[in-house]
Amino acid sequence: MLQIADGNNVNCITMRKLIILLILTAAFNKAFAQTYPDARLPTNVPQLFTEGRLSDGLSNRDFTISPKGDEIFYTLQQPRFVTSTIIRLLKKNGRWGLPEVAPFSGKYRDLEAAFSPDGSTIYFSSDRPLIGSAIKKDFDIWRVKKSPNGKWGEPENLGNNVNSDKSEFYPSITRSGNLYFTAELADGKGSEDIVVCKPTGNSGYSKPEILPEDINTKYDEFNAFVDPGEQFIILTSDGRPDNLGRGDLYISHKDKAGNWLPVKHVPAPINSTAIDYCPFVTWDKKYLVFTSSRLNAGFNDGKTKNYSQLKQLLGSAGNGWDDIYWVKFDMNW
């Protein structure tokens, strides 16, 4: 009887532990689902972000989430860039809604939204015209501010110091107010380079300064995410000898003197034989979110496919158009 009783006690203790574990797991999953619309925790292998809601077989690219974690913006494009619209996911009462056109987008070709570190401003690239002007033929950096009632206002162009008669893309704003972006410079090192404009007061900016050698080379460098504290930068470069595909991600850190160190190639399987670009590191520095045109493994599995299977592959994420992925971020890459 004593042995049976002890066994029952052990079983009861084990059952209590199991119940507690299930409760804690459910609470963790609920909290995580509230943080991001995708409840699958990223690993060291890139996985589609929010498959079915955001990664849906259309051409979805670039990504930003507000510092408060209640708004996500990304770009939905026609693959040949005929249209380009910024899309928003909004979280209300702890639940993420469905994709909708951002309040400041939908008419012109807009893309590459980026939050300021205080969450009050969105910077983005657009070919929309200036007030009273004809439709522009190049892309400028614009910004839109959030009003005290939480609504986004009217976009404003950042002016001639930032913008030129060529295109500017992919803004990244830091806590110091420095604005990094991709520019097509007449005297650049490549056809596209990473530059920085520094704040001058009254919401103005200095002329662009090109980032140093190795970050910018004779190859194309573009779409850089800069850490809000400016301790690291992740950029895309196309044409370097170690490229795996049509553009790979590279990372550079600053030394103690504040100088950018030589870039390091981000390892596979984050980089692939496709283009991998549009990096964004979450505010807690846990995850890297990026865009890739890599193919679903089903395309190259050596199996004969019927029409329904082909239609499914071609209409789903991983069909070779842009998709958004995420993965654990490692500062030591």
Side-chain angles (χ1 to χ4, degrees):
M1 294 295 294
L2 181 60
Q3 290 178 346
I4 294 174
D6 285 346
N8 288 338
N9 287 338
V10 169
N11 288 338
C12 289
I13 293 171
T14 301
M15 184 60 70
R16 288 194 199 100
K17 288 182 177 179
L18 179 59
I19 292 171
I20 292 171
L21 179 61
L22 289 173
I23 292 172
L24 291 175
T25 301
F28 172 81
N29 289 336
K30 182 179 179 181
F32 182 78
Q34 291 174 339
T35 303
Y36 299 102
D38 191 339
R40 297 181 307 155
L41 191 67
T43 66
N44 293 324
V45 177
Q47 64 189 42
L48 288 164
F49 183 85
T50 318
E51 187 172 5
R53 181 188 295 185
L54 191 156
S55 300
D56 56 3
L58 299 177
S59 186
N60 301 301
R61 49 154 293 176
D62 59 72
F63 175 96
T64 190
I65 187 170
S66 66
K68 289 174 58 178
D70 58 356
E71 280 185 288
I72 285 172
F73 292 92
Y74 64 98
T75 301
L76 174 62
Q77 285 185 343
Q78 194 277 342
R80 292 191 177 92
F81 206 20
V82 175
T83 63
S84 184
T85 305
I86 296 174
I87 305 298
R88 176 174 71 169
L89 292 180
L90 185 63
K91 185 167 68 175
K92 292 182 178 179
N93 301 320
R95 292 181 176 270
W96 287 99
L98 296 175
E100 61 184 12
V101 174
F104 50 86
S105 190
K107 184 176 181 179
Y108 305 101
R109 288 190 296 175
D110 305 321
L111 67 162
E112 301 171 343
F115 273 97
S116 61
D118 64 2
S120 68
T121 307
I122 283 282
Y123 294 77
F124 65 101
S125 181
S126 176
D127 70 347
R128 63 185 60 206
L130 298 172
I131 296 176
S133 300
I135 294 177
K136 287 179 62 63
K137 295 181 179 179
D138 67 298
F139 286 79
D140 283 353
I141 304 297
W142 294 69
R143 68 182 166 203
V144 57
K145 297 182 178 180
K146 183 176 280 190
S147 65
N149 64 8
K151 293 185 178 181
W152 294 103
E154 290 297 320
E156 59 177 325
N157 188 281
L158 290 194
N160 292 333
N161 273 8
V162 172
N163 297 309
S164 68
D165 58 358
K166 294 182 179 291
S167 289
E168 291 78 30
F169 292 109
Y170 213 79
S172 186
I173 188 80
T174 66
R175 285 195 291 268
S176 69
N178 287 343
L179 175 67
Y180 293 80
F181 57 94
T182 301
E184 299 174 341
L185 301 174
D187 56 350
K189 293 182 171 66
S191 61
E192 290 184 309
D193 294 294
I194 310 300
V195 301
V196 58
C197 288
K198 298 177 179 178
T200 59
N202 298 321
S203 298
Y205 288 96
S206 64
K207 288 286 187 180
E209 300 174 18
I210 188 168
L211 268 60
E213 189 70 33
D214 192 63
I215 288 180
N216 289 305
T217 67
K218 64 180 180 180
Y219 307 108
D220 287 344
E221 281 78 33
F222 54 96
N223 290 25
F225 170 86
V226 181
D227 164 49
E230 295 174 272
Q231 294 306 300
F232 66 88
I233 180 173
I234 304 178
L235 58 98
T236 302
S237 181
D238 184 22
R240 298 190 187 214
D242 55 359
N243 266 185
L244 298 178
R246 297 181 292 111
D248 282 6
L249 297 171
Y250 293 81
I251 187 168
S252 170
H253 296 84
K254 275 188 175 179
D255 62 19
K256 293 181 179 179
N259 301 310
W260 292 109
L261 297 169
V263 300
K264 294 190 290 184
H265 189 230
V266 175
I270 298 166
N271 280 316
S272 71
T273 56
I275 182 172
D276 303 294
Y277 68 130
C278 296
F280 173 85
V281 176
T282 55
W283 298 95
D284 57 11
K285 296 182 174 59
K286 288 184 177 180
Y287 310 116
L288 167 68
V289 188
F290 66 101
T291 303
S292 178
S293 63
R294 64 190 66 192
L295 286 173
N296 184 309
F299 282 98
N300 300 307
D301 60 5
K303 297 179 181 179
T304 300
K305 297 167 181 64
N306 60 35
Y307 177 77
S308 295
Q309 291 169 329
L310 285 172
K311 189 174 180 181
Q312 174 67 27
L313 278 173
L314 292 169
S316 303
N319 58 9
W321 292 1
D322 283 333
D323 294 302
I324 297 175
Y325 290 79
W326 64 340
V327 68
K328 282 185 178 179
F329 176 63
D330 187 347
M331 285 284 290
N332 297 315
W333 284 336

